[in-house]
Amino acid sequence: MFLKIRKEDIIDGLLKAAAIIPAKTGAAYLRTVWLRAGGETLSIMATDSSIEFVGNYPAVVSEGGLTGVSGKKFCELMRRMPPGEITLKLDADGKHLHIEQGRRKYKLPSNDASWFQEFTPFPENNAVLWSGDFFKEAIDRIAFCIADDEELGNMNCIKLAAVEGDDVEICGLNGHLFGLLRFTNAEIHKVLGESGALIAKKYLLEIRKWLSNDEIEISLSDKRLFLRTGNRGEIFSLPLKSYVFADYRNFIRQYKDRFTSSLEVDRHELTDALERIFVFNTELNKATFFDLAPEELALHCQGQDVGEGRELIGCRYSGGLEKVALSTKIMLEIMGHFTSDTLTLAFVGASEPCRITGKDDANYMIITMPVEISETTYYSEEAV
């Protein structure tokens, strides 16, 4: 193998490849970045046995071939080298890769090409274009609703499902939160089919790092999700989960007509107030009490050792519920994923689901559970 490449052409792809491979654990094969030269292209490949990355970059190839080198070492060396042309040459016995740039000369031990296992090819038959920035936004708005623990099965995943018409729903839940984003896209609807796709959280985070704001191609096989850059230069694929996802649509139907109390409030004003109230949260009391009235919302929290916080903000409220306690931290996180200036919190009861929607956040909602907490007075004016 003998070729010349430019650092600036490959460094981004090389960093993506190195980010996938395990640093110390696992077989040497999994710590390897594979380099394949042929035609006018250098392919950079890496896997952690689940995620697969393939990047194809322009090169001047004098002699094709395949070799593998330590991913972390090779990436770190290339990252520290200045921009410009770099020569890669595999020695005759295939044991070392020589890296040269001007008067800079290095060599790395290479792995036998017989170790290499071909990566899963991108399924061309059902590939469609999708917006990378929209997919990133969808991940951000739903991923915080799913559990971190992989042992929780479907609660550690987001679900992409084709529903009525050409609509697609992306949702996630963890027992305390449920997030749902709905949009219309006939091509994505067709790709998902009846079974849809279930993606584990650890893979979502890797997808999020790989995505740019540019268009991507998306495709599915029975067991994997494939993403490819619009110019077809990079392919990123990962396994789908096969858990049975909760019947969230039945849950939505069950509560559809039961949200009889409605609070409309300015998102910015509520966020600012809750950030101050959060100062008074403790390990035993992580909630803020919402005292509901037609034109005024009272927010308060108190802790035995930290004192008490109380604020009044304007609102529009109708319904029979007078008081509810919501997790301060969770509410702040939820509101950070809305863009609307005005939010609507719809309640069933003090211990039943609360639905949050935004005036300008079409087809996006979060459902959270109120906190069951007993309010205790730790001190009074008489005791002071």
Side-chain angles (χ1 to χ4, degrees), residues 93-365:
D93 59 9
K95 292 185 177 180
H96 290 91
L97 179 69
H98 296 259
I99 304 151
E100 298 183 8
Q101 187 188 50
R103 292 184 293 178
R104 306 177 188 90
K105 297 184 179 182
Y106 315 92
K107 68 177 181 179
L108 289 173
S110 60
N111 296 326
D112 194 312
S114 64
W115 292 13
F116 179 73
Q117 300 174 24
E118 290 293 342
F119 287 20
T120 313
F122 186 92
E124 301 285 354
N125 59 322
N126 63 347
V128 299
L129 286 173
W130 200 17
S131 167
D133 57 350
F134 183 86
F135 195 12
K136 281 199 298 184
E137 180 185 351
I139 291 173
D140 291 342
R141 299 182 102 185
I142 300 298
F144 79 98
C145 295
I146 64 181
D148 295 323
D149 189 349
E150 293 181 41
E151 294 184 1
L152 290 178
N154 61 14
M155 289 190 181
N156 178 244
C157 303
I158 66 166
K159 174 74 173 181
L160 281 72
V163 292
E164 299 89 353
D166 292 327
D167 283 2
V168 174
E169 289 181 344
I170 302 180
C171 63
L173 52 86
N174 62 12
H176 304 287
L177 283 171
F178 170 74
L180 178 67
L181 176 65
R182 184 166 178 154
F183 60 95
T184 301
N185 187 310
E187 292 185 319
I188 298 297
H189 185 281
K190 183 178 180 180
V191 168
L192 291 173
E194 293 183 3
S195 56
L198 205 59
I199 309 172
K201 190 167 191 175
K202 66 178 181 180
Y203 299 138
L204 286 175
L205 300 179
E206 295 300 329
I207 291 172
R208 181 66 178 78
K209 288 191 288 186
W210 178 81
L211 285 170
S212 70
N213 292 332
D214 298 327
E215 280 193 331
I216 60 169
E217 287 185 290
I218 182 170
S219 187
L220 288 175
S221 67
D222 290 340
K223 296 182 178 180
R224 295 185 73 83
L225 169 70
F226 296 82
L227 305 171
R228 182 165 66 183
T229 52
N231 64 5
R232 302 192 171 190
E234 294 179 358
I235 300 171
F236 189 92
S237 74
L238 51 96
L240 298 172
K241 293 298 182 180
S242 57
Y243 304 116
V244 176
F245 199 72
D247 187 358
Y248 68 94
R249 306 203 82 203
N250 184 55
F251 167 77
I252 293 172
R253 287 191 296 268
Q254 178 184 348
Y255 281 96
K256 181 179 178 182
D257 299 321
R258 296 179 60 191
F259 292 101
T260 54
S261 297
S262 178
L263 170 68
E264 191 175 284
V265 65
D266 182 277
R267 178 174 65 90
H268 309 286
E269 194 173 5
L270 180 58
T271 298
D272 290 345
L274 288 178
E275 285 179 343
R276 291 185 287 267
I277 293 289
F278 186 58
V279 173
F280 298 93
N281 277 184
T282 66
E283 284 298 316
L284 296 176
N285 185 3
K286 300 180 180 181
T288 296
F289 286 99
F290 285 57
D291 290 339
L292 305 164
E295 297 181 356
E296 192 171 67
L297 171 63
L299 304 164
H300 61 97
C301 176
Q302 62 184 42
Q304 187 172 10
D305 300 321
V306 297
E308 178 179 2
R310 184 176 184 86
E311 294 208 21
L312 300 175
I313 63 175
C315 71
R316 295 176 61 184
Y317 174 71
S318 62
L321 184 63
E322 295 181 354
K323 177 177 290 192
V324 65
L326 297 170
S327 166
T328 314
K329 184 177 181 180
I330 289 175
M331 282 300 300
L332 286 169
E333 185 165 25
I334 290 171
M335 291 188 295
H337 291 88
F338 282 87
T339 60
S340 301
D341 292 331
T342 302
L343 296 183
T344 299
L345 283 66
F347 303 99
V348 177
S351 59
E352 296 187 84
C354 165
R355 183 184 65 201
I356 303 166
T357 55
K359 186 177 180 181
D360 300 317
D361 291 274
N363 300 314
Y364 177 56
M365 74 172 180

Side-chain angles (χ1 to χ4, degrees), residues 10-22:
I10 69 164
I11 189 60
D12 287 346
L14 192 54
L15 290 171
K16 292 172 184 176
I20 293 171
I21 60 178

Side-chain angles (χ1 to χ4, degrees), residues 43-56:
S43 297
I44 297 174
M45 297 164 283
T47 181
D48 65 354
S49 79
S50 297
I51 298 172
E52 294 181 354
F53 171 82
V54 179
N56 300 305

